[in-house]
Amino acid sequence: MHLDMDAFFASVEQRANPALRGKPIAVIGSSGRTVVTTASYEARRFGVKTGMNKFEARRLCPDIIFVVGDNAKYVDASERVLAVLERFSPLVEPFSIDEAFVDLTGSTSLFGKVSDIAREIKRLIRDGLGLTCSVGLAPNKLLAKLASGMEKPDGLVVIKPVDVGRILEGLPVNELCGIGPATTEALKAMGIATCGPLGRADGRALRARFGVNGERLKLMGQGVDGSLVAGASGEREAKSIGHSTTLPRDVSDLNELRLVILKLSDMVAARARRYGLKGSRVSLTVRYSDFHTFSRRKSLATATFDAAIISAAATAILGDMKLEKPVRLVGVTLSELSEGGRQLGLFDDAGREALLFAMDRINDRYGDSAVTWGSLVEPDTDDEDNGVISPSWRPKGVRRVEF
DNA sequence: TCTGGGGTCCTAGGACCC
DNA sequence: TCTGGGGTCCTAGGACCC
């Protein structure tokens, strides 16, 4: 089963505030250059879509109501949804904050037919949370994901093995999860636009063009997918921790960029400590005013969760770059993660780490910037950091993040 | 007042080692 | 008398997902 919440953030806001119900609304971030994170179905009717900027959304739908997103509300709702799913199977794999796969293979002896289970889950979510969702049931994840999107909102679609061929034959390839714009174009150049022909395509030709992925593409065209629902036993470790921000205005001044990098590094480091992880690779991402985006990475001799070290590495990368245009976005990512915990390695500085954890405790208790780095305490850099969480953020599955 | 933010996975090429 | 063949590690960048 694949379950996908309907217009999740927007629906949560409409549930929380009756004045928004039945109205075209869009959940956005707080910064000036924000975009629509989720539009309610009322707004979608006007053509408002995720990723659109406010002006475009307003142009399409003059009566649209913008709501600045509230992460805590979505995290709470997401955890409640997952709790419902976990009543029916131990194998629940969060795919994003508003989607999950559930393996119901072993659930039928306890709970009956899968379609009945799906209906019960939808009922529990509706009654318990006041939210609707769309559910797909199928022999594998690829098809379940496809099915959940076929009758949105409030849908329940079953794809039986016998129907797979008929459903896929004329289906555009980009409807499958995993085939995006670039692959769609490349397939089109080979004369393949729909799944039927993809499933019958020459395996060698696909392999020549797409490498090992070519084999998978052919199988996808046939509706074959052997991947398993990860579930609790296969809980995945986080691979990277990153933050990025689009600046309120484009910036060329290096000192200004260094401050932003320190702030981002601080957020990254704090999160790493909370997860009990250290990372030994630092990446800096830069987006120019013309949207050209690139990144540079640097490996560290030892893994760290210290904002000062992460920031120093990212700043060194910045120093090596020859910036050609004003900068629109900067991002800092920590990867090559390993268990860091509070156990000290041979070369770790115990005093320093105690200080960092003490800062965390103070900030946990008194608010996020109760103690911070001196260079960040300037009148023009204390802006709130309350951008809307990404729908891809995982409440579980990777590791828990508290807000 | 055009175009967010957080991720994963894969590939390709160069450095380096034996 | 042109210049092997493995392997690993590292970096850059792209495709894709929500």
Side-chain angles (χ1 to χ4, degrees):
Chain A
M1 178 173 98
H2 178 260
L3 180 143
D4 191 345
M5 299 302 294
D6 298 323
F8 186 50
F9 293 1
S11 301
V12 169
E13 295 299 339
Q14 288 177 317
R15 180 200 55 178
N17 181 355
L20 299 176
R21 290 179 197 164
K23 304 264 178 64
I25 76 163
V27 176
I28 56 169
S30 57
S31 76
R33 296 162 117 177
T34 184
V35 297
V36 173
T37 302
T38 314
S40 69
Y41 278 92
E42 296 85 352
R44 291 182 197 195
R45 276 197 277 282
F46 290 85
V48 179
K49 289 190 170 69
T50 295
M52 219 168 244
N53 67 56
K54 292 199 303 195
F55 312 99
E56 177 81 359
R58 176 79 74 194
R59 191 177 63 74
L60 289 169
C61 179
D63 294 331
I64 197 163
I65 302 167
F66 292 117
V67 180
V68 173
D70 175 0
N71 295 340
K73 261 189 267 182
Y74 314 141
V75 170
D76 179 71
S78 179
E79 290 184 344
R80 287 170 195 271
V81 169
L82 291 175
V84 169
L85 299 179
E86 282 161 359
R87 287 166 59 172
F88 296 90
S89 170
L91 295 174
V92 176
E93 177 186 340
F95 189 60
S96 73
I97 195 168
D98 71 334
E99 291 184 30
F101 291 99
V102 187
D103 189 340
L104 294 175
T105 310
S107 305
T108 50
S109 56
L110 241 59
F111 301 105
K113 287 161 50 186
V114 286
S115 53
D116 290 337
I117 296 175
R119 268 186 282 276
E120 177 66 0
I121 286 171
K122 283 167 64 76
R123 186 187 70 76
L124 288 167
I125 291 174
R126 185 195 315 265
D127 292 354
L129 288 93
L131 299 172
T132 64
C133 58
S134 297
V135 168
L137 293 165
N140 61 48
K141 288 166 72 175
L142 176 77
L143 295 171
K145 174 96 166 100
L146 177 68
S148 72
M150 289 171 69
E151 280 181 17
K152 276 185 138 298
D154 204 16
L156 171 51
V157 174
V158 183
I159 296 183
K160 296 189 173 129
V162 65
D163 296 323
V164 171
R166 178 181 50 80
I167 290 169
L168 290 185
E169 184 56 38
L171 188 79
V173 291
N174 60 309
E175 301 270 325
L176 295 179
C177 183
I179 299 184
T183 308
T184 301
E185 275 309 302
L187 287 171
K188 200 205 272 179
M190 299 171 73
I192 298 169
T194 55
C195 294
L198 176 60
R200 293 187 294 272
D202 176 23
R204 287 185 309 271
L206 287 174
R207 200 177 164 74
R209 175 64 185 76
F210 299 101
V212 286
N213 218 15
E215 313 277 339
R216 252 203 86 224
L217 285 173
K218 184 175 164 80
L219 291 173
M220 286 171 75
Q222 298 166 359
V224 176
D225 170 24
S227 68
L228 299 174
V229 175
S233 57
E235 191 146 326
R236 308 203 311 169
E237 298 289 320
K239 298 277 170 51
S240 65
I241 299 167
H243 284 289
S244 62
T245 187
T246 294
L247 304 163
R249 50 183 175 73
D250 298 341
V251 170
S252 297
D253 178 46
L254 283 182
N255 282 323
E256 221 173 304
L257 293 176
R258 285 188 195 107
L259 279 183
V260 179
I261 286 171
L262 175 57
K263 171 74 179 161
L264 293 168
S265 301
D266 193 35
M267 294 163 65
V268 166
R271 204 138 64 89
R273 290 195 295 273
R274 192 172 304 164
Y275 296 179
L277 295 172
K278 291 181 176 180
S280 64
R281 185 165 66 175
V282 175
S283 307
L284 180 72
T285 300
V286 168
R287 171 173 294 158
Y288 286 145
S289 50
D290 65 1
F291 251 72
H292 177 237
T293 309
F294 58 100
S295 65
R296 297 280 185 275
R297 347 227 240 232
K298 213 180 200 40
S299 288
L300 306 174
T302 54
T304 187
F305 49 41
D306 187 333
I309 295 174
I310 295 167
S311 180
T315 302
I317 297 171
L318 180 73
D320 292 339
M321 286 176 177
K322 245 186 68 216
L323 293 181
E324 291 162 4
K325 302 190 180 84
V327 173
R328 177 188 179 87
L329 167 147
V330 281
V332 174
T333 298
L334 184 68
S335 56
E336 293 300 302
L337 301 176
S338 54
E339 293 296 324
R342 293 172 191 233
Q343 286 189 333
L344 290 172
L346 192 53
F347 301 104
D348 291 332
D349 177 341
R352 174 77 184 175
E353 297 202 353
L355 167 69
L356 295 174
F357 284 119
M359 287 174 69
D360 289 340
R361 285 199 299 278
I362 292 168
N363 287 331
D364 283 348
R365 184 151 171 192
Y366 297 106
D368 245 0
S369 288
V371 285
T372 185
W373 310 96
S375 44
L376 286 179
V377 187
E378 296 194 21
D380 60 340
T381 57
D382 63 353
D383 49 333
E384 298 292 306
D385 184 72
N386 52 354
V388 182
I389 193 173
S390 149
S392 74
W393 178 83
R394 293 160 194 247
K396 292 186 180 163
V398 181
R399 277 161 185 276
R400 189 169 295 259
V401 185
E402 272 87 37
F403 286 86

